[in-house]
Amino acid sequence: MKAQTEQRTGLLYGFGAYGMWGLVPLFWPLLKPSGAIEILAHRMVWSLAVVGVALLAMRRWGWIRELLRQPRKLALTTLAASVISVNWGLYIWAVNNGAVVEASLGYFINPLVTIAIGVLVLGERLRRAQWAAVGIGVAAVLVLAIGYGRPPWISLVLAFSFAAYGLIKKKLNMGGVESLAAETALLFLPALGYLLWLGTQGRSTFALDDPGHSWLLAATGLVTAIPLICFGAAAIRVPLSTLGLLQYLAPVFQFGLGVVYFHEAMPPERWAGFSLVWVALALLTWDALRTARRSRARLAEAGASAATAATAATTATTAPATTASEAAVAAEVAGGAEVAGAVHGAPEPPPTVATPAREPA
């Protein structure tokens, strides 16, 4: 009963995290007349303030000394901060310049790009269904390029930067709050310097006559941190397979807002391109679920065999090495990890409170 309650709570957190990421296009236009770079700078500054309070409450500071003692890890963190800055800044610019639909496409094709990077960079091997999904994704981009009259560069930059960010985070293996704190700390001084420069030039919008605007800019820290905290709470309560499927909620909401609320054009060729992307994602998800079921079945069978052998060898003073319940738990964990790996294109599950790193902008 307690496990079911925990899972329901985790689902609520998951829906909350991806729902907020999906609805965030409604927030960025409220910050006009601030430009994308100014909004990005405020997001960096205020995010550090929010995660700083969170770390203070949790009393988790030991990772800072460890990070500073590892130059390679610090360099990777700096690279991750630079990549996510590009992703965040372009996303804000896209939303405030009438390209919400094209931005949502970037997060739809992100799993396909992640798989492609896994093959090209990590030398991973794909199953046939995964190759087919990637091929359909490439065809979708070509169709959309014809429809737009240009490559969908916003989508491609968002997808590739997010996939690269995920790859770096995979190598870093840091918790979500800690990694966000490290990245925003590295970006804090440049961001603060830019905001101070805007103020000296009389171009800052933070000190406008309307105090509500200043509060909205300060709220960018909460808009960044709260979904990540909800994601972390979901990640420890629900299977990774469920979490991997929930990730599609954000681009679905973004696409819906772009078409229904922002009234962006969707000519037939654009519908055709998006339809191909959705077919590719459906194929990828089907393959992931099928592979997970097979893995669970194999592990359950192996666990049952091990339990039988252990029971036969049990004495009054020796407990079995592997019980059937432990085998079932192992099967569930491994199955969830397989699904998440297949959906995200990673050979192993991400850290419990990681990502976006798999965090949509």
Side-chain angles (χ1 to χ4, degrees):
M1 183 67 180
K2 183 178 179 181
Q4 292 179 346
T5 302
E6 282 289 294
Q7 188 162 355
R8 282 197 295 268
T9 302
L11 281 174
L12 290 176
Y13 277 122
F15 278 114
Y18 286 105
M20 283 185 279
W21 282 327
L23 297 176
V24 77
L26 296 173
F27 178 72
W28 303 126
L30 300 178
L31 303 181
K32 292 179 179 180
S34 300
I37 299 179
E38 183 181 3
I39 296 172
L40 176 63
H42 276 286
R43 187 176 187 181
M44 294 170 181
V45 169
W46 296 108
S47 293
L48 180 60
V50 173
V51 295
V53 171
L55 289 173
L56 186 63
M58 295 184 293
R59 299 180 180 179
R60 284 157 57 174
W61 304 103
W63 59 273
I64 299 177
R65 185 179 303 171
E66 180 184 349
L67 177 62
L68 294 176
R69 288 177 177 176
Q70 301 180 57
R72 181 179 178 275
K73 197 169 186 178
L74 186 60
L76 284 175
T77 303
T78 304
L79 182 59
S82 302
V83 171
I84 200 60
S85 296
V86 173
N87 187 276
W88 283 359
L90 179 59
Y91 184 80
I92 294 169
W93 180 90
V95 170
N96 285 352
N97 284 272
V100 176
V101 169
E102 188 175 350
S104 73
L105 175 63
Y107 295 107
F108 275 125
I109 66 176
N110 176 67
L112 302 173
V113 173
T114 301
I115 288 175
I117 287 180
V119 173
L120 298 174
V121 178
L122 302 179
E124 296 175 3
R125 299 179 62 182
L126 300 185
R127 295 181 293 273
R128 291 181 181 179
Q130 291 175 313
W131 277 116
V134 172
I136 295 171
V138 172
V141 171
L142 292 175
V143 170
L144 288 165
I146 295 172
Y148 279 108
R150 57 169 175 80
W153 67 270
I154 295 175
S155 305
L156 294 174
V157 173
L158 288 175
F160 276 93
S161 61
F162 209 58
Y165 181 63
L167 177 64
I168 299 168
K169 298 281 278 188
K170 182 179 177 63
K171 294 182 179 295
L172 281 172
N173 194 25
M174 291 176 64
V177 176
E178 292 88 344
S179 61
L180 181 61
E183 291 157 18
T184 51
L186 289 168
L187 297 169
F188 177 79
L189 287 179
L192 182 61
Y194 177 76
L195 293 176
L196 292 175
W197 177 80
L198 283 180
T200 61
Q201 299 295 311
R203 296 165 55 189
S204 173
T205 63
F206 185 72
L208 292 176
D209 293 335
D210 181 12
H213 183 74
S214 299
W215 282 109
L216 285 173
L217 285 172
T220 55
L222 293 173
V223 169
T224 300
I226 291 178
L228 181 64
I229 293 171
C230 290
F231 174 82
I236 61 176
R237 289 176 172 86
V238 300
L240 290 174
S241 56
T242 303
L243 208 60
L245 296 176
L246 284 176
Q247 71 169 328
Y248 296 124
L249 285 178
V252 165
F253 285 174
Q254 293 164 10
F255 176 81
L257 286 174
V259 174
V260 177
Y261 183 80
F262 293 103
H263 304 291
E264 294 185 16
M266 282 294 293
E269 59 271 16
R270 212 166 289 177
W271 278 112
F274 270 87
S275 297
L276 286 174
V277 170
W278 295 331
V279 168
L281 293 178
L283 179 60
L284 194 63
T285 303
W286 169 80
D287 175 71
L289 293 173
R290 182 188 62 170
T291 303
R293 282 196 299 269
R294 290 178 177 177
S295 297
R296 283 197 298 267
R298 286 196 298 267
L299 286 171
E301 183 179 351
S305 300
T308 301
T311 302
T314 298
T315 63
T317 58
T318 305
T322 304
T323 66
S325 60
E326 289 171 340
V329 172
E332 173 65 23
V333 172
E338 177 66 25
V339 171
V343 170
H344 291 287
E348 59 187 24
T352 303
V353 194
T355 70
R358 299 277 176 183
E359 170 208 359

